Amino acid sequence: MATERMSELQLLKLKTRQLEEEAKNRTELAEAEICHREAVQKSFASRCFATAVAWATSELVFSCAELLADPSAKHGQAQEVSLGTQFWCRLAYAAVCYAICPYIIWILRPSGGQTDGNGFFADFLKLVAGCTPMVLSWSILNAWVALMNWAGNAGWDDLIAAAVLTVVMSVVEMLPLYRWAKAGVDAGGQEDKLFKRYVVFPAYSTLAAGKLWNNFFNWPMTEINAQVAGKPNIIFLTQLVFYIILSSSIIYVTAWWSQRSEHLAKEFGKGDEKHHTQSEEHHLADMERTMGAYFVSCLSFVYAWGLSNTLNAFFFNLMFGCSGASSCGYATNCLYAIVLTAGFTFYATGMTYQNRLRPWGKAHQSVMILSMSLCVGWAWKGYFNTTITAFAAESGFGRVTCYLVLTIALWIFAGLFWHSFLKERRRAKYFRQQALRRTKVDPSSITVAADEPSSLHSI
């Protein structure tokens, strides 16, 4: 009887522990899904703001440089600045950003303690930390675009520049110094030093390389659009077919590279380490892995530009009969930005619920979320650009004044919105924790019926 009683108690304890573990796993799974969804939403929102503020800040500084080249610009008069001067101004701005931005990123890193707290200032610093990498990337992009314009901007020039930039940055990423710095930055804490932030600069050049690759891939469409100007239906249908081919190819390459990189990583760790690191196969595999990863990162931006060009062709060329976004006016651009923001925010939020298992699905999900956030930022950039033109024409102010007002207003609005966004996320997390606490049961409140062997066996 005692043995039977003991087995029943052990069975009861085992079942109780099983139920507790299952409840714990369900809670952790639900919390992980919520955290993942909120992380994607934060990344989506920060990229949208970063794109807009990076463009506004870049144009403000460039307008100041143009003012130095032509003082008549302060009166709102037309000015002609040579392409060479534009390039040197953009290059100087990129150099200043490279000198300042890594320091800001390092100071505002999570382990630095500067962004601790839940107030407006702490949340604003979090926004600055998230936007600063895009500011640096945008400055490098503008410098390369200005250089290509100065060189004549032919299709083959874009190919050569894109290939050179990709190869050079990939070689830099293969250097032991870069890998040492990258490992320290990824580790964080005491390993994350300011010097290492300056060494990992190739990570900020993928946007510029993506733009150069996009210009080359989009070269046929540029020639076709020049031949069919004024025919919106042909422009849109041609762009749509081109986008379908381009996007499918990029997703396929991204999915293939995901599997290929895993294979290279496994092969990379095989064999005798001392002999393997000096072998030719090791260096070839290392070069393939590094260059492939950099090129695939660039293709993500090519996908985003392809999506943006297709949406522009549909909205501005086909629906409103404009030759482009800049010729449609600020009202149409504002409508386009609002529609794109609402639609892509809803779609991106829905995609965060999906758990893709195959490489094709994972590649499509990651590329689409990045592309949608960039397209929203570019849409608002188009609206701000047309607004600046209209405001300057109505007020008679120069570009510097207009961009100064826009940049300050944009940073303030972004800070207020970001603070409200994070505040709501923290509020939602607090109420989830409170609801979870209310689900816990006090053992003293449980009434246990009289022992019945039959009921124990039924558990």
Side-chain angles (χ1 to χ4, degrees), residues 220-289:
M221 286 303 305
T222 304
E223 298 295 331
I224 293 175
N225 289 338
Q227 298 296 326
V228 297
K231 301 177 181 179
N233 289 280
I234 298 178
I235 292 176
F236 169 68
L237 291 177
T238 306
Q239 176 63 39
L240 180 61
V241 172
F242 174 76
Y243 169 70
I244 293 174
I245 297 174
L246 179 68
S247 60
S248 300
S249 302
I250 291 176
I251 293 175
Y252 174 80
V253 170
T254 304
W256 173 83
W257 176 250
S258 176
Q259 296 176 315
R260 177 62 178 169
S261 60
E262 292 180 1
H263 173 72
L264 289 175
K266 293 178 181 179
E267 293 294 328
F268 205 68
K270 291 182 178 180
D272 180 66
E273 185 66 21
K274 182 177 180 181
H275 170 74
H276 188 59
T277 54
Q278 298 176 355
S279 65
E280 181 180 357
E281 292 80 2
H282 169 86
H283 292 293
L284 291 176
D286 190 17
M287 182 178 298
E288 180 183 357
R289 186 173 62 168

Side-chain angles (χ1 to χ4, degrees), residues 77-127:
Q77 301 174 6
Q79 58 178 347
E80 292 293 337
V81 180
S82 66
L83 296 177
T85 302
Q86 292 182 22
F87 165 69
W88 291 114
C89 291
R90 297 289 190 185
L91 183 62
Y93 173 63
V96 172
C97 286
Y98 177 71
I100 297 176
C101 289
Y103 176 76
I104 296 176
I105 297 172
W106 182 75
I107 284 292
L108 299 181
R109 69 194 188 281
S111 60
Q114 300 295 328
T115 58
D116 293 344
N118 299 328
F120 171 78
F121 185 70
D123 289 343
F124 182 77
L125 290 181
K126 294 184 182 76
L127 176 66

Side-chain angles (χ1 to χ4, degrees), residues 45-255:
S46 64
R47 284 199 193 102
C48 295
F49 282 122
T51 303
V53 299
W55 167 80
T57 306
S58 175
E59 292 304 313
L60 172 62
V61 177
F62 180 67
S63 299
C64 293
E66 283 187 326
L67 179 61
L68 296 177
D70 184 2
S72 65
K74 65 181 179 181
H75 302 297
Q77 301 174 6
Q79 58 178 347
E80 292 293 337
V81 180
S82 66
L83 296 177
T85 302
Q86 292 182 22
F87 165 69
W88 291 114
C89 291
R90 297 289 190 185
L91 183 62
Y93 173 63
V96 172
C97 286
Y98 177 71
I100 297 176
C101 289
Y103 176 76
I104 296 176
I105 297 172
W106 182 75
I107 284 292
L108 299 181
R109 69 194 188 281
S111 60
Q114 300 295 328
T115 58
D116 293 344
N118 299 328
F120 171 78
F121 185 70
D123 289 343
F124 182 77
L125 290 181
K126 294 184 182 76
L127 176 66
V128 173
C131 293
T132 303
M134 179 60 79
V135 172
L136 178 55
S137 298
W138 198 269
S139 67
I140 299 174
L141 165 67
N142 285 336
W144 274 98
V145 170
L147 176 62
M148 300 311 298
N149 291 336
W150 190 19
N153 203 23
W156 294 113
D157 294 336
D158 290 320
L159 174 61
I160 295 173
V164 169
L165 182 59
T166 301
V167 172
V168 171
M169 292 297 100
S170 299
V171 171
V172 172
E173 290 184 357
M174 293 172 58
L175 298 177
L177 177 63
Y178 174 86
R179 294 186 171 178
W180 168 75
K182 184 68 165 55
V185 172
D186 293 339
Q190 297 297 327
E191 296 295 326
D192 188 2
K193 303 296 184 181
L194 177 60
F195 168 74
K196 297 179 181 180
R197 291 286 182 170
Y198 285 94
V199 176
V200 296
F201 68 91
Y204 306 113
S205 64
T206 52
L207 181 63
K211 178 62 175 177
L212 295 174
W213 283 113
N214 176 74
N215 290 345
F216 172 70
F217 291 140
N218 204 51
W219 184 16
M221 286 303 305
T222 304
E223 298 295 331
I224 293 175
N225 289 338
Q227 298 296 326
V228 297
K231 301 177 181 179
N233 289 280
I234 298 178
I235 292 176
F236 169 68
L237 291 177
T238 306
Q239 176 63 39
L240 180 61
V241 172
F242 174 76
Y243 169 70
I244 293 174
I245 297 174
L246 179 68
S247 60
S248 300
S249 302
I250 291 176
I251 293 175
Y252 174 80
V253 170
T254 304

